[in-house]
Amino acid sequence: MNLRSSWVAETGQTREDTRVTQTGATTPLNTVQVRSGILPGSYDGQYRLSGLWMDGKAAMTATVHEGRAVVQGSISQGAYPVSLTTEEPVTFTAGDAQYARIDLVIIKVYDNLYDGSGKNEAKIEIVKGTPAQTPVAPAAPPLSLPLWEVTVPAGASAGNGGIPWATALKDLRTPIVSAGGILPLEGPTQRGTYPGQYQDTTDGQFQRWDGGKWVAYPAGVGGIIPASAAAGTAASYVGQYRGVSDGPLQRWTGSAWAPAYPGPYFNDSLDAGYTQSTTYVNTLIERAENPLTVTFTAPQSKQVILTFGSRMELSLASGTTGIASSAWMALRILQGTTVVRELEDELACVASKSADPTDAVSASTTQRLSGLTPGAVYTVTAYYRTTNANVKAWFDNTFIQVTPQY
């Protein structure tokens, strides 16, 4: 028997036995026990798990290849490290004449102190299944580690084609790593043992155990879901972020993905219009787009930057000269129906002339608006006026921009 074990045999354990079986791999199962499983790795580094691989070598014989494993017993028994240092052949009995069966290939540990078997050793064995129209695998015996299921067809024998190895094998091997190590997942997913435990799935996803479930790495630690995974990845919590290939970073609101950093909010009109009102109005004559407004949602910082302006020109009524006047543009800001900022000349954008008409000028101003309510929706509306009813104040290329501060 090529399978070596340590701390099983009452006598005869060699120093070599001890050296080759020391695994250092004890993925916790609970406070005092570890998972049974196989150490990961391969000779060329291409595969997660190549230890104790099995393939067919003859009609009814397969070969189990080298590998190291740990078999956990009861709490008092502890964990048994085992190591297969050379290939081990296993031979299956001929198939039933009528029905197929499923056999189980296992590592079986015998410890006479606990099982009264009279043996103290570890072996690779076959647990023969029961032939049936719909066969099922037999249960693994105590203190064993299932490796493979093998379907033995009805009538299979050395002289009758044997076992179709390409389709007969089902891999049951699961990896283990040392405490705190990242587990390369193979086979069925098992529950985690402690919050903060990590595993790497077969589809390249990094996961963290949160105490109740495995959570994709970006969700568990607050990282950003990459754009390559965003389309089919569900959010796990409010505030999670994801990248998208055709737009800005997004944040999960609890019901939908929305831009993580909304804005800037912008609206403009390239249509010229005028007013002769000496009090502020939001409607310009000859402009079709009235009023000019921008709606924005206040960020968590409670402040935004306002920028607004227009191309302004002052024209006198026919037959009048020498009239000094100014064109004013100001903003009124509402939250619902509540006025947050009223129209003020001090905060307006202005263009003036001393007497006779002047060429048009472009004017703008930038201001900070603070003290907002995060998440509240605000509406900004442009208003205009002239200082003389006999002077038309023209406004063209008018714009409002609101840039949230983050």
Side-chain angles (χ1 to χ4, degrees):
M1 170 60 67
N2 297 317
L3 187 66
R4 298 185 176 196
S5 62
S6 58
W7 316 122
V8 176
E10 292 179 295
T11 60
Q13 179 175 320
T14 67
R15 288 175 294 174
E16 187 179 64
D17 289 335
T18 305
R19 288 195 301 270
V20 299
T21 57
Q22 295 315 293
T23 60
T26 53
T27 301
L29 179 65
N30 51 45
T31 55
V32 291
Q33 292 176 296
V34 299
R35 288 187 189 178
S36 296
I38 299 166
L39 272 70
S42 60
Y43 286 111
D44 54 12
Q46 293 188 46
Y47 305 101
R48 293 170 177 264
L49 189 63
S50 64
L52 299 168
W53 175 262
M54 190 174 78
D55 54 12
K57 291 298 182 182
M60 301 299 291
T61 300
T63 298
V64 179
H65 296 269
E66 315 90 272
R68 294 187 297 167
V70 169
V71 182
Q72 173 67 51
S74 65
I75 290 177
S76 60
Q77 284 178 277
Y80 298 80
V82 298
S83 181
L84 182 63
T85 54
T86 59
E87 298 178 348
E88 181 77 15
V90 288
T91 300
F92 298 82
T93 60
D96 179 73
Q98 184 177 7
Y99 295 119
R101 72 172 193 270
I102 297 176
D103 291 352
L104 197 62
V105 179
I106 64 170
I107 289 177
K108 178 71 174 85
V109 176
Y110 293 92
D111 188 340
N112 184 60
L113 181 63
Y114 290 92
D115 58 28
S117 62
K119 296 185 288 185
N120 293 287
E121 61 181 347
K123 301 178 66 177
I124 292 177
E125 296 183 344
I126 297 173
V127 180
K128 187 176 179 181
T130 301
Q133 189 170 3
T134 304
V136 295
L143 202 56
S144 67
L145 175 63
L147 301 176
W148 298 87
E149 287 182 6
V150 179
T151 299
V152 181
S157 66
N160 191 29
I163 297 172
W165 297 111
T167 58
L169 299 179
K170 181 180 179 181
D171 192 354
L172 303 179
R173 299 170 305 150
T174 57
I176 54 173
V177 292
S178 59
I182 297 172
L183 185 69
L185 182 62
E186 289 284 341
T189 300
Q190 301 183 47
R191 70 169 182 84
T193 309
Y194 56 89
Q197 185 178 8
Y198 289 90
Q199 67 179 16
D200 184 32
T201 68
T202 54
D203 59 0
Q205 187 182 63
F206 194 33
Q207 295 180 336
R208 178 183 182 275
W209 182 255
D210 71 355
K213 63 181 182 300
W214 289 106
V215 181
Y217 171 79
V221 301
I224 298 171
I225 301 175
S228 60
T233 304
S236 300
Y237 60 92
V238 174
Q240 184 178 10
Y241 291 90
R242 73 172 184 179
V244 292
S245 58
D246 58 351
L249 189 68
Q250 294 183 336
R251 180 181 182 275
W252 180 251
T253 65
S255 59
W257 288 106
Y261 301 101
Y265 303 88
F266 182 85
N267 196 9
D268 68 345
S269 174
L270 304 181
D271 188 17
Y274 72 90
T275 183
Q276 289 180 263
S277 174
T278 57
T279 59
Y280 281 109
V281 293
N282 62 13
T283 300
L284 294 175
I285 299 169
E286 295 190 14
R287 174 184 281 180
E289 303 161 348
N290 286 300
L292 181 66
T293 64
V294 168
T295 299
F296 72 92
T297 301
Q300 292 298 314
S301 66
K302 304 181 183 180
Q303 61 185 8
V304 298
I305 299 298
L306 296 173
T307 303
F308 60 98
S310 182
R311 181 176 181 269
M312 304 179 191
E313 185 175 357
L314 294 156
S315 63
L316 299 178
S318 177
T320 60
T321 59
I323 300 176
S325 60
S326 301
W328 297 74
M329 176 183 175
L331 300 180
R332 173 177 282 159
I333 303 172
L334 303 179
Q335 181 190 347
T337 58
T338 302
V339 177
V340 176
R341 194 175 90 172
E342 191 52 278
L343 300 165
E344 295 182 42
D345 285 348
E346 185 179 353
L347 301 174
C349 177
V350 61
S352 301
K353 79 176 188 67
S354 58
D356 295 323
T358 59
D359 293 334
V361 296
S362 292
S364 65
T365 186
T366 300
Q367 302 157 5
R368 185 188 303 276
L369 180 65
S370 58
L372 304 175
T373 302
V377 177
Y378 293 80
T379 301
V380 182
T381 304
Y383 283 76
Y384 321 87
R385 75 178 182 90
T386 180
T387 55
N388 194 302
N390 290 316
V391 178
K392 294 180 179 179
W394 286 87
F395 299 86
D396 195 6
N397 300 343
T398 310
F399 74 93
I400 305 171
Q401 178 169 311
V402 180
T403 305
Q405 300 298 285
Y406 295 105

